[in-house]
Amino acid sequence: AQLVESGGGLVQPGGSLRLSCEASGFTFSDHYMDWVRQAPGKGLEWIGRTRNRANSYTTMYAASVKGRFTISRDDSKDSMYLQMNSLRPEDTAVYYCARLERDGSSYYWYFDLWGRGTLVTVSS
Amino acid sequence: DIQMTQSPSSLSASVGDRVTITCRASQTISSYLNWYQQKPGKAPKVLIYAASSLQSGVPSRFSGSGSGEDFTLTITSLQPEDFGTYYCQQSYRTPLTFGGGTKVEIK
């Protein structure tokens, strides 16, 4: 099982960028998928989630990105996307996609698979 | 949002030492607590989920305990490969939140 992010790079403040996360080696459509970011030298910050088809592909976001970032997925391509608009310098970070796993039939969710991340730098 | 506070923020220990990292939630989160290890330049890796369940493939020297607001990650006999930063994370409620991290160095 593997996740590979792409699409990072240098963008000016106010600009846009679209990240991709391509999955392989597992049934992508079954899983909830999240984005987590990490600013340089800082800790981990959850950005948001897309649920699976069984849960209507609903999405949720952290307050820091709500209204600016949009998460989507295409199960036919085993891929998830993060559309980032109105980017700010404080959005500079490594962006990870991560698979959510659940312990049996419980509600104990955890990230059991991560990509290597893609760096987004917002600077003029 | 649920705040997660880890302590210490860093520690240095010798091979074979017992190491304990604590994590406190700003409100009760039952056992919805996960622990991750992150090495420089790498993605995090889950060690413990549901406060005390060992992820498959993780060495048994790692263990987790606690419920409610207070949690502990213990490494019973520190090994050279255990360097890195350790994060707790609550999955009780969105937004998911992480602790600030504990950097573990090997003396």
Side-chain angles (χ1 to χ4, degrees):
Chain A
Q2 189 177 3
L3 297 171
V4 178
E5 302 93 339
S6 61
L10 175 64
V11 60
Q12 292 188 338
S16 298
L17 209 57
R18 188 194 195 211
L19 306 185
S20 299
C21 169
E22 184 171 354
S24 60
F26 66 97
T27 306
F28 177 77
S29 59
D30 285 348
H31 289 269
Y32 292 9
M33 297 293 299
D34 287 24
W35 288 97
V36 176
R37 69 182 179 185
Q38 186 170 36
K42 301 298 184 182
L44 299 163
E45 179 187 14
W46 178 80
I47 294 175
R49 172 178 303 163
T50 171
R51 293 190 175 96
N52 56 14
R53 179 180 179 180
N55 290 274
S56 305
Y57 297 125
T58 53
T59 54
M60 52 179 56
Y61 301 93
S64 59
V65 305
K66 194 170 186 179
R68 299 188 300 125
F69 290 11
T70 301
I71 297 172
S72 61
R73 64 191 292 164
D74 184 341
D75 289 351
S76 70
K77 296 182 179 179
D78 290 338
S79 292
M80 175 176 65
Y81 307 99
L82 180 64
Q83 177 66 44
M84 303 185 293
N85 299 330
S86 303
L87 282 161
R88 306 166 180 167
E90 55 265 35
D91 295 319
T92 294
V94 173
Y95 285 73
Y96 295 101
C97 62
R99 182 178 77 178
L100 264 173
E101 186 57 270
R102 186 168 67 169
D103 177 33
S105 58
S106 75
Y107 289 97
Y108 292 111
W109 296 92
Y110 57 99
F111 297 119
D112 75 326
L113 182 66
W114 298 68
R116 297 179 66 177
T118 187
L119 176 63
V120 172
T121 303
V122 184
S123 174
S124 55
Chain B
D1 298 1
I2 299 173
Q3 307 302 317
M4 306 300 294
T5 303
Q6 282 182 241
S7 62
S9 57
S10 66
L11 66 91
S12 180
S14 299
V15 172
D17 283 354
R18 181 184 183 94
V19 169
T20 299
I21 300 169
T22 63
C23 178
R24 172 165 286 179
S26 60
Q27 65 180 80
T28 184
I29 57 170
S30 184
S31 295
Y32 294 90
L33 192 284
N34 306 317
W35 289 99
Y36 300 87
Q37 176 196 61
Q38 185 180 34
K39 296 191 175 181
K42 302 293 186 181
K45 168 190 168 185
V46 65
L47 301 174
I48 302 288
Y49 62 92
S52 61
S53 295
L54 188 69
Q55 173 70 345
S56 176
V58 174
S60 59
R61 63 181 179 273
F62 292 94
S63 64
S65 64
S67 66
E69 297 180 7
D70 294 310
F71 302 87
T72 299
L73 174 71
T74 300
I75 309 173
T76 52
S77 178
L78 191 69
Q79 298 301 302
E81 62 267 30
D82 297 337
F83 72 93
T85 302
Y86 292 77
Y87 294 95
C88 61
Q89 173 244 325
Q90 63 82 17
S91 60
Y92 182 77
R93 174 181 297 155
T94 55
L96 305 185
T97 46
F98 293 84
T102 296
K103 186 174 183 179
V104 174
E105 296 181 332
I106 310 295
K107 280 184 185 175

